[in-house]
Amino acid sequence: MKGKKQKEPAGVNAGEIFAALDLLEQERGIPKAAMLEKVVKAIATAYQRDHKDVEEENIIVEVDEEHKDLRMFVRKAVVDEEDYVDPANEMSLEEARAISARYQIGDVVHIPVDKMEFGRIAAGNGKQVIIQGLREAERGMVYDEFNSKQHEILTGVVTRIDPRNGGASLRIGTGTESTEALLLAGEQVPGEPLEEGMHVKVYVVDVRRSTRGPQVLISRTHPGLVKRLFELEVPEIYDGSVEVKSISREAGSRTKMAVWSNEENVDPIGACVGPRGQRVAAIVEELRGEKIDIIQYSEDPAEFIAAALAPADVVEVHMAEEGKACRCIVPDDQLSLAIGKEGQNARLAARLTGYKIDIKPQSYQEENDTPSSEQNQETPADECPAEEHEALAEAVEDIPAEDAAPAEEPGE
């Protein structure tokens, strides 16, 4: 008579647990079967915690979904008097026959757990599991919501500014699918004031799972923010007739953006600037006055590099025979303009094009423009003697090509 049960006890009223699981499945899409499995496991674990001598496999929780009921039993093996040493998991033949004369040695008896004790365990742990499941479901929904918005622009409300490190907490999203995101000081535009209650557009860099819920990494300095702002303002970029090829940015100061179109009747620069400069002006206002240079992309590296050094005019561009390096010749009176304040213009141009750029004045070329030095005109910048470099040009020369910032973010 292996596994024979005695008469089943009256079940614990578990209607509230089943009702809560039904509601979670209907409103939140949480599978009832999976949650019910967690509830059963939590109840069994709680009972074993209070009765450490009872082996886990001997704790049975039966689920009656039809009648929305739960029952708990402790399974005990019927043993001979001489072998009876573990009352928590075994039962003597005499004890078993006191329940039913049909029990024999080797049978298994299901002893019902006290109704009041089981009710207490079921109510407490069932509620705890449901609350935890609800939290996990909400976190999962928030993660899915924001994970689909990676590399997009969202508007957040500043809720708190940490006076110690300057980090700003933002509430992004609405309703149950909103979450807190931290705008670190390093991701804020230098000099840009943030105050509690302020609405700020931020760029979603990444979304990560954590034990405390999803972590949304946001930025105000990422080049992708500029690209997305142009997509919102310029229909030609949104529909694909104008393409943003690359962006280099020093947040709060200046941005260079290379655009291109394969449609003859579309002027990519004019589309981005907009009628009377309205489109670019709206973006500059959003970026708190950050200057934006929009240049024409070209598949010819020399032409592209010359355009990237705007607003300076470039007389000639000599490409290196090997590697991504070049020398640009500019009029003497535009050398400082080409290099920019503290080398910024040349630095942004190098990042935009992906080339190491050495800038020389036209007088330097004329001095060295002899038949014996024709080959030197195309010497890569990093092979020129150090004493021939002007002080400002030296500051620019060390920019590696790896600093180029493509417009397309990883994963796009």
Side-chain angles (χ1 to χ4, degrees), residues 85-131:
V85 293
D86 185 5
N89 299 286
E90 296 174 345
M91 175 179 287
S92 68
L93 181 60
E94 182 181 352
E95 291 173 328
R97 286 187 172 172
I99 298 172
S100 173
R102 293 176 295 176
Y103 283 119
Q104 302 292 332
I105 294 175
D107 289 345
V108 175
V109 182
H110 288 68
I111 308 297
V113 173
D114 179 75
K115 182 178 179 180
M116 292 185 63
E117 181 182 13
F118 178 53
R120 173 184 60 82
I121 293 174
N125 290 275
K127 181 179 179 181
Q128 184 179 2
V129 169
I130 290 171
I131 292 174

Side-chain angles (χ1 to χ4, degrees), residues 22-275:
D22 288 336
L23 191 63
L24 285 178
E25 186 171 50
Q26 292 171 8
E27 295 190 356
R28 300 299 177 91
I30 304 173
K32 178 181 176 181
M35 285 298 298
L36 189 56
E37 184 179 343
K38 291 182 179 180
V39 169
V40 167
K41 186 174 181 181
I43 292 173
T45 301
Y47 183 84
Q48 189 184 31
R49 188 169 57 243
D50 295 338
H51 304 79
K52 294 182 171 55
D53 293 335
V54 180
E55 295 180 2
E56 183 178 355
E57 61 268 20
N58 287 336
I59 301 172
I60 308 298
V61 179
E62 288 191 349
V63 179
D64 184 354
E65 290 195 48
E66 183 179 352
H67 298 94
K68 298 187 183 301
D69 203 2
L70 295 172
R71 296 181 178 88
M72 177 181 277
F73 302 89
V74 174
R75 189 170 58 181
K76 293 186 177 184
V78 180
V79 297
D80 191 277
E81 293 288 346
E82 296 178 358
D83 300 326
Y84 181 45
V85 293
D86 185 5
N89 299 286
E90 296 174 345
M91 175 179 287
S92 68
L93 181 60
E94 182 181 352
E95 291 173 328
R97 286 187 172 172
I99 298 172
S100 173
R102 293 176 295 176
Y103 283 119
Q104 302 292 332
I105 294 175
D107 289 345
V108 175
V109 182
H110 288 68
I111 308 297
V113 173
D114 179 75
K115 182 178 179 180
M116 292 185 63
E117 181 182 13
F118 178 53
R120 173 184 60 82
I121 293 174
N125 290 275
K127 181 179 179 181
Q128 184 179 2
V129 169
I130 290 171
I131 292 174
Q132 181 65 25
L134 181 60
R135 287 176 181 167
E136 290 177 358
E138 288 178 345
R139 289 174 180 175
M141 292 171 68
V142 172
Y143 175 83
D144 293 340
E145 171 70 16
F146 289 103
N147 191 48
S148 65
K149 294 179 180 178
Q150 282 194 50
H151 313 306
E152 299 293 340
I153 287 179
L154 296 177
T155 299
V157 179
V158 179
T159 57
R160 180 177 176 273
I161 297 176
D162 192 330
R164 296 170 298 175
N165 55 31
S169 296
L170 276 72
R171 170 63 61 176
I172 55 177
T174 57
T176 58
E177 295 179 356
S178 65
T179 188
E180 287 285 335
L182 180 62
L183 184 63
L184 299 173
E187 297 296 334
Q188 299 175 25
V189 176
E192 182 180 72
L194 293 177
E195 299 176 358
E196 291 185 9
M198 181 183 291
H199 287 71
V200 181
K201 284 187 171 66
V202 293
Y203 180 79
V204 181
V205 180
D206 194 13
V207 182
R208 300 173 182 172
R209 293 185 185 273
S210 73
T211 54
R212 303 176 69 178
Q215 288 184 331
V216 184
L217 307 181
I218 56 177
S219 174
R220 285 276 295 170
T221 62
H222 198 285
L225 177 66
V226 178
K227 181 186 178 186
R228 294 305 185 202
L229 287 173
F230 269 97
E231 287 180 354
L232 293 174
E233 288 288 338
V234 183
E236 291 85 350
I237 294 180
Y238 184 80
D239 64 23
S241 57
V242 173
E243 182 179 351
V244 178
K245 283 293 189 178
S246 62
I247 294 178
S248 60
R249 184 186 184 202
E250 292 189 359
S253 180
R254 196 179 202 94
T255 290
K256 284 184 180 286
M257 183 175 74
V259 295
W260 177 80
S261 177
N262 60 358
E263 298 183 17
E264 294 181 2
N265 298 326
V266 176
D267 174 15
I269 296 178
C272 293
V273 173

